[in-house]
Amino acid sequence: PRRRLTAPPPAPPPAPAPLLRLSSWLRAALPGCSMPRDAGMDFGFLHRLDVPSSGLILCGTTFSGLLALRWQLDTYRIERQYAVWGHGAAASSLLEAAGRIDPRAHASERSLVAG
């Protein structure tokens, strides 16, 4: 008799994980807060900081907190500090590198450091 060796059919791909909206995650993380449930107030979200890098999300958990954050953002009162770890050689005399982020670059994908 003839014999044939065949491979089993491929396994079906795993089902994709359901997408979780950020607002759903925030509601679950802050069950006592009403702001993440208010679509009229953008679910408490104010701004995504540093889109090209970490993408931290700035949000308020109360109406007054959201307005206070919005005022601080609109009047440039929110400051960011960065820590940078480098790879490779640097001059032994280099102790600190300081520079300001150019605010004109906010619409682009890159921030410019003015030195």
Side-chain angles (χ1 to χ4, degrees):
R2 291 184 124 187
R3 295 191 180 156
R4 180 181 225 181
L5 181 61
T6 61
L19 295 176
L20 182 63
R21 293 186 174 271
L22 190 56
S23 56
S24 299
W25 178 84
L26 192 60
R27 281 193 296 275
L30 303 168
C33 294
S34 61
M35 189 59 66
R37 291 165 176 71
D38 191 341
M41 295 302 296
D42 298 323
F43 303 104
F45 297 114
L46 181 63
H47 188 60
R48 183 171 176 190
L49 304 173
D50 306 323
V51 173
S53 59
S54 62
L56 295 172
I57 305 294
L58 184 61
C59 61
T61 57
T62 64
F63 180 74
S64 59
L66 180 64
L67 292 181
L69 285 172
R70 185 170 287 157
W71 177 82
Q72 290 175 51
L73 184 66
D74 291 345
T75 57
Y76 300 100
R77 302 240 193 277
I78 294 178
E79 295 183 9
R80 300 171 182 107
Q81 293 185 359
Y82 299 90
V84 178
W85 286 265
H87 176 67
S92 61
S93 59
L94 180 65
L95 299 177
E96 180 178 317
R100 296 184 53 79
I101 302 296
D102 185 348
R104 294 171 294 177
H106 75 281
S108 73
E109 289 295 315
R110 295 173 22 182
S111 294
L112 304 176
V113 176

